[in-house]
Structure formats: C-alpha cells, structure tokens
Amino acid sequence: MKTARVLRLSMAHPGDLSELARLIESGTVIASEVVAIIGKTEGNGGVNDFTRGYFTQTLMGLLSKHVGKPPEQLVREIPCVLSGGTEGVMSPHYHVFCISGADASARHHRSALAIGTAFSTPVAAEDVGRRAHVERVAAAVREAIKNAGIERADEVHFVQVKCPCVTVARASAAIAAGKTPLTSDPNKSMAFARAAGAFGVALALDEIKSGDFDDASLLSDFSIQSPRASISSGVEVECNEVVVLGNSASWGGDLRIAHRPMSDALDIGGIVRVLADLDIPASPQVSAVDAARIACVLVKCEPDRRGKIRGNRHTMLDDTDINAQRHIRGAVAGLVAGVVGDGRIFVSGGAEHQGPDGGGLIAVIASQQQG
C-alpha cells in the first residue's frame, strides 16, 4: 500500500530550496520519495518568466546530490510544474508531493489521496495547440491515472499539466523545415497549448469524445471544458508533464482531495463548498485549527472574456499596463486567501476550457478527521 505526503514550503527567492534541503538533511523527507512539485514563483507568468526554469534547475541539482542521478535524468522523471506570478497576497511557495510505502494495518480511512505522474513524448512546434497535442496529453493523463492506481475516472479530482509553447526560434525552425506552426506568437501559443492540455484531460477522463472537437474548437468552443484540468505552459518544457491527484481505496494515509468549479471570480461559495466536502467549515474564515489541516490549495481562474462579472463591466481585458492574467490572479488569490487564511495558495491564470468559462476551479488537499 502506498501513502501520499504533501508538504507546503515557502521560498525567499525563486531558487530558494533551503526548506526542502533542511527536511532532506534531517531525514524528514526522503529525496527518492519526491515524485512531483507544484508551486508559485514570483515572475511575470509570461513567456519570458525564467523564474520557473531557475527553480527547476535548482531543485534538480538538490535532488541529484541525494538520489545519485544526474539532474538531466531527474528533470525527465519528476514533473516540476510552476506557475509564475504571485500578485497581491499570494506568497511564493511550492508543494512537494511524496510517495512512500505503508503498512496496510495502518489504514484509517476508506480512501486517501493518490498521486500519479507521467511525461509525454516531445511535442513538435507544428503540433502545439492542435489535435496531435491533445492526444499526447490524453495519453499521458491515462498513463498517470494508471500509475496512481486510480480505478475510476470520478475518483480523479485534479489534473495538472505543464505544456510546451512555441517560441519565435522554435517557430522559425519549424517553418524552415517546411512545417506550419499554428501561430508564431509565443503568447498566443501559450493559450493554444493550455487549450490543448484542457482538451487532452477532458478526453482522458471521458468528459468529451474524440469526435466532439477539431482543431478549430480550441479557444473557440468554450462549451467544451474540463472541471478538473489545470494547465500551464512555458518555454522550459518540450513535452507535457502530468500530475494526477485523486482518491483511492488502495492508498493509505490521512490526506484526501476534493474539487469544485468556480463559476466566476466572485464565487466564494465554491470555495466554501469544497472545504465543506473535506469537513472544514468557513464562517466566514477557516479556523486556525482547521487551517492546519489544509496541505494544499490549487486554483485556476480566467478573466471573463465577455467583459462582465455578474452583469457589471470589468476592465481587465482593456488594461494595457497590467496583463489581464495578473489582474485575475491577484483578485482571486485575495478571495481564496481570505477564506483559508493563508497566502500560500496556487492560483494560476489562463483557465481556457478549464472549468466554467470566465471562472475556473478549486481543489483542496487536507487531512481527514478520525472516525
């Protein structure tokens, strides 16, 4: 029987792994049991956000010293999914996901948090944002679900994918080779990559069928969405990195995950409901005792492309000084942090096809109460 552990650690700068280093050196964390990282760095979240690569390089160097594998190998084995941008009350942090063995006699709950990871093969520049990309993501998600030992799709609560995007250099190389990228604009490429990731998750979870979409559906048909997909994109990866989080009766431990859709950027009810699913009341804020049970908060959000929230105009999409994704991350982070009482929350923008249009989703991992 396997047991999942999740540690939420703070960072002083994008390359600060000192908290994890201390835990490994003290024996609290076994480096070989680290299977994935999901975190927030303080960059701009855009194409040129190199804080993500800086953190990843530092992480792989640290783990390499303890597991005896070169960083170049570890980066292909351990998904490191980072979202740039810690606007507002968000605090730079990272979640360390570990898997260890456990005695079956130590089981306390009917099911517990299960973790699965997978990597797709590299995605060519001309495939980013197209069906081939969608199918690569779907295959990797299915592999991660299998690796997690999750038997039913409805036991999957959150699927984090990191997708590659097309840089100007990658687009130029593809064109020179006679290939045609969907776009040569890196920012548009990130959006198409996120859309492909969301479609891939939906396909793997049987939320849509293969015949339900074509290439033109991406960033166009927003009736297609996955309420369990969280997709990021960046220049620091060449393949799709996948982390599946769900619950399984074959896993031990005290942690459990729940998720809910967020209908819009003001949906405080969605936050309260997902906490209630884990027997954590919020009235209006989670108590200090219950806050200590929360191991991880994962949120996707999107500025409503219709330009209104509950009938009132917003200006996020018209602001040429501040990117719309930075606006929405800061706004939603304030809403969520105000309820859970902690700024160490993963709030990622770019939620195209991920949860309701103009909204998103929230997932929470928390320890279960005994009894």
Side-chain angles (χ1 to χ4, degrees):
M1 184 172 66
K2 297 177 181 178
T3 297
R5 295 178 62 200
V6 181
L7 299 98
R8 180 169 49 181
L9 307 177
S10 299
M11 64 176 87
H13 56 77
D16 177 26
L17 274 295
S18 58
E19 286 199 20
L20 179 58
R22 284 194 294 270
L23 291 174
I24 292 175
E25 290 163 5
S26 68
T28 304
V29 171
I30 307 301
S32 60
E33 294 180 349
V34 175
V35 297
I37 301 286
I38 298 177
K40 289 292 300 184
T41 58
E42 58 207 81
N44 60 24
V47 176
N48 65 333
D49 184 352
F50 300 110
T51 63
R52 302 181 303 239
Y54 176 28
F55 179 97
T56 301
Q57 183 181 51
T58 308
L59 171 69
M60 299 308 167
L62 170 64
L63 295 178
S64 176
K65 292 190 298 183
H66 294 278
V67 301
K69 295 180 180 180
E72 297 79 8
Q73 179 179 347
L74 291 176
V75 79
R76 297 190 299 270
E77 296 179 353
I78 302 173
C80 184
V81 182
L82 303 166
S83 170
T86 52
E87 295 81 7
V89 298
M90 261 192 292
S91 181
H93 70 285
Y94 55 104
H95 298 95
V96 182
F97 294 84
C98 304
I99 297 177
S100 62
D103 187 340
S105 64
R107 179 187 300 281
H108 300 295
H109 308 282
R110 289 180 296 175
S111 66
L113 178 67
I115 304 171
T117 64
F119 289 75
S120 76
T121 54
V123 181
E126 62 271 19
D127 289 338
V128 171
R130 291 186 164 125
R131 178 176 285 271
H133 191 174
V134 173
E135 292 175 348
R136 293 260 180 88
V137 171
V141 172
R142 294 186 188 106
E143 181 183 351
I145 293 172
K146 181 179 179 180
N147 291 341
I150 298 175
E151 296 182 354
R152 302 194 317 272
D154 62 1
E155 293 179 320
V156 174
H157 285 266
F158 192 82
V159 181
Q160 179 65 61
V161 183
K162 185 76 175 194
C163 294
C165 65
V166 177
T167 61
V168 171
R170 290 191 72 199
S172 298
I175 292 169
K179 308 294 184 179
T180 305
L182 184 60
T183 177
S184 295
D185 183 324
N187 286 295
K188 290 182 179 178
S189 172
M190 291 181 77
F192 275 111
R194 291 192 297 265
F199 275 53
V201 173
L203 189 60
L205 297 179
D206 291 325
E207 294 166 341
I208 60 173
K209 302 299 181 184
S210 183
D212 291 343
F213 69 96
D214 56 24
D215 285 358
S217 303
L218 280 72
L219 298 185
S220 175
D221 184 354
F222 288 99
S223 67
I224 298 176
Q225 51 94 1
S226 173
R228 292 174 282 179
S230 172
I231 317 298
S232 295
S233 179
V235 299
E236 68 273 22
V237 296
E238 294 183 353
C239 66
N240 304 296
E241 303 185 4
V242 176
V243 182
V244 166
L245 302 174
N247 298 312
S248 173
S250 63
W251 284 63
D254 292 327
L255 294 176
R256 185 173 180 81
I257 186 171
H259 80 281
R260 287 276 183 162
M262 290 186 67
S263 60
D264 58 31
L266 301 177
D267 189 9
I268 195 170
I271 305 166
V272 173
R273 285 188 290 272
V274 76
L275 292 168
D277 291 340
L278 297 166
D279 298 317
I280 297 176
S283 55
Q285 191 176 80
V286 171
S287 70
V289 172
D290 283 327
R293 291 173 50 202
I294 299 175
C296 183
V297 179
L298 303 158
V299 183
K300 285 297 290 189
C301 56
E302 178 76 6
D304 197 306
R305 69 194 74 255
R306 294 159 293 195
K308 291 185 178 182
I309 301 175
R310 301 192 182 185
N312 297 311
R313 186 171 70 95
H314 71 77
T315 61
M316 289 182 280
L317 300 173
D318 298 319
D319 191 340
T320 55
D321 294 315
I322 302 174
N323 183 274
Q325 299 300 337
R326 307 201 79 168
H327 270 294
I328 197 66
R329 287 195 297 259
V332 174
L335 187 75
V336 177
V339 176
V340 301
D342 196 321
R344 294 173 301 164
I345 53 179
F346 179 90
V347 180
S348 174
E352 304 91 345
H353 304 284
Q354 302 153 62
D357 189 21
L361 69 145
I362 178 168
V364 177
I365 300 172
S367 59
Q368 303 181 68
Q369 294 179 315
Q370 300 297 327

